[in-house]
Amino acid sequence: MADLIASAEDLRKFNSLAKKERRFTPALRGVLAEAATTDIIRYNWLLVKPLVAHVLSSVLQDFDAERNVEIGPPLPLANDNTVQDLQKRLLEYLDFFTEAPFTFQRLCELLVEPHKQYTHLHKVALAFERLLLVVKTQPITSNPPPRPRLSDLRPVNENITVTHRDRPSGAHQRVPLEPLFHIDTEAQPAAQPMSIDEASEMHGKEETAQTFAANGSSHAAAEHNSAAQSDVQHDAQAGLVKSEVSSSVKTEDAGQADTVLGQSKAGLLNRVHALEEANVPADGAEVMKVDAS
């Protein structure tokens, strides 16, 4: 049926043609599209490899033609002088495999829809090179489903999908992955744009707040310094007063002692004068007696 992807017999007919007579029909494209969307390897690698080589050469030639019409000099290729050298080197990598490479699904995506990620020859060439430098291979898919219709194939190289190996047997459709989380954009209203006057007013308030905070810090520091100076002056004054009080106490004690001594001397002299007036003999013994009495 014409609506189905190519069969193994269709691939054999394609391989039997000369390279210039080969055409990449929608049915042949369906073989690569099925592998790209489901990771199913339906046919033997020896049947599929000529098709892959044909499409790879066509993609490189198309990108090279687009490069020639770009403005300015074309970007140089990494390890090749011409696109023919690049094509030869990549086909040699492809001939190395005896089974489908481990990167066959991504390789088919790039063969079928190369322009969805790349627009320059040197970038798509580097992508092909990375896919063909792997060593690991994979066998044909066991018990594949019947050939799908071309209209049933999903778009290639668009969404992240679950591969054939990640799904239970019998499920071969391309299933988009569910998002890990959902952000409710309606719950939070979008921020309204701010006018120039409002922005200037907000900026002025911020500057005023910063200035007030700076002045408050300076005022607090000045008060702290002033209080410290007052404490030092108070301590100095207290020490001076204490010294003055101590000196005055000592002076007062000395004056009181002198006063008492003077009073004692005056009293003794007064008694002596009184005895003399009373005609008392002034010998030492009598005087001592009188003083003792």
Side-chain angles (χ1 to χ4, degrees):
M1 297 178 63
D3 190 37
L4 299 178
I5 67 172
S7 63
E9 184 62 27
D10 295 332
L11 289 174
R12 292 189 185 96
K13 291 180 180 180
F14 174 83
N15 297 338
S16 63
L17 298 173
K19 292 183 179 180
K20 294 183 179 180
E21 297 178 358
R22 294 174 179 176
R23 298 293 180 267
F24 188 45
T25 63
L28 293 174
R29 181 187 182 276
V31 175
L32 301 181
E34 181 191 28
T37 55
T38 63
D39 198 22
I40 292 177
I41 304 177
R42 181 177 295 274
Y43 303 117
N44 187 285
W45 172 246
L46 296 179
L47 286 177
V48 179
K49 183 168 66 172
L51 176 63
V52 173
H54 173 77
V55 179
L56 175 60
S57 300
S58 300
V59 170
L60 296 178
Q61 292 174 3
D62 292 342
F63 272 84
D64 184 57
E66 295 175 359
R67 185 179 67 148
N68 293 332
V69 298
E70 293 179 353
I71 300 176
L75 295 174
L77 301 177
N79 300 316
D80 309 282
N81 295 325
T82 63
V83 67
Q84 288 76 18
D85 296 336
L86 172 64
Q87 178 180 335
K88 179 181 178 182
R89 183 167 57 85
L90 294 180
L91 291 179
E92 289 177 354
Y93 294 160
L94 189 65
D95 290 337
F96 170 79
F97 295 99
T98 57
E99 290 184 320
F102 185 74
T103 56
F104 184 64
Q105 182 182 20
R106 176 56 183 160
L107 179 62
C108 290
E109 289 180 352
L110 201 56
L111 290 172
V112 175
E113 294 291 349
H115 289 87
K116 287 188 176 180
Q117 276 86 31
Y118 302 102
T119 57
H120 296 88
L121 175 61
H122 68 285
K123 292 185 177 181
V124 73
L126 182 60
F128 279 127
E129 184 176 18
R130 291 177 177 175
L131 293 173
L132 295 176
L133 285 178
V134 298
V135 178
K136 189 176 180 180
T137 59
Q138 53 183 335
I140 299 176
T141 302
S142 59
N143 299 323
R147 286 184 297 158
R149 295 177 178 272
L150 298 178
S151 57
D152 293 337
L153 295 176
R154 294 181 177 271
V156 177
N157 203 6
E158 285 192 354
N159 299 323
I160 300 175
T161 59
V162 179
T163 63
H164 170 68
R165 287 187 294 271
D166 296 330
R167 295 195 300 269
S169 60
H172 300 285
Q173 294 183 352
R174 185 183 180 94
V175 181
L177 294 178
E178 294 294 333
L180 297 179
F181 55 88
H182 175 69
I183 300 177
D184 188 6
T185 56
E186 297 181 357
Q188 299 179 355
Q192 298 296 328
M194 186 180 296
S195 64
I196 297 177
D197 295 337
E198 293 175 347
S200 301
E201 182 180 357
M202 179 175 292
H203 182 66
K205 291 180 179 179
E206 291 179 354
E207 289 185 346
T208 302
Q210 293 176 357
T211 304
F212 179 77
N215 293 338
S217 300
S218 302
H219 182 66
E223 290 183 351
H224 178 73
N225 295 334
S226 177
Q229 293 178 359
S230 300
D231 293 341
V232 172
Q233 293 177 359
H234 181 269
D235 293 341
Q237 292 176 358
L240 181 60
V241 170
K242 182 177 180 181
S243 177
E244 292 178 354
V245 170
S246 177
S247 300
S248 61
V249 169
K250 292 180 180 180
T251 304
E252 183 178 358
D253 293 341
Q256 291 179 357
D258 293 341
T259 302
V260 172
L261 182 59
Q263 292 177 355
S264 300
K265 290 181 178 180
L268 182 59
L269 291 174
N270 291 331
R271 294 187 65 183
V272 170
H273 292 312
L275 291 174
E276 290 178 349
E277 290 177 356
N279 296 320
V280 177
D283 55 343
E286 187 64 20
V287 172
M288 291 300 295
K289 290 179 181 180
V290 174
D291 291 338
S293 63

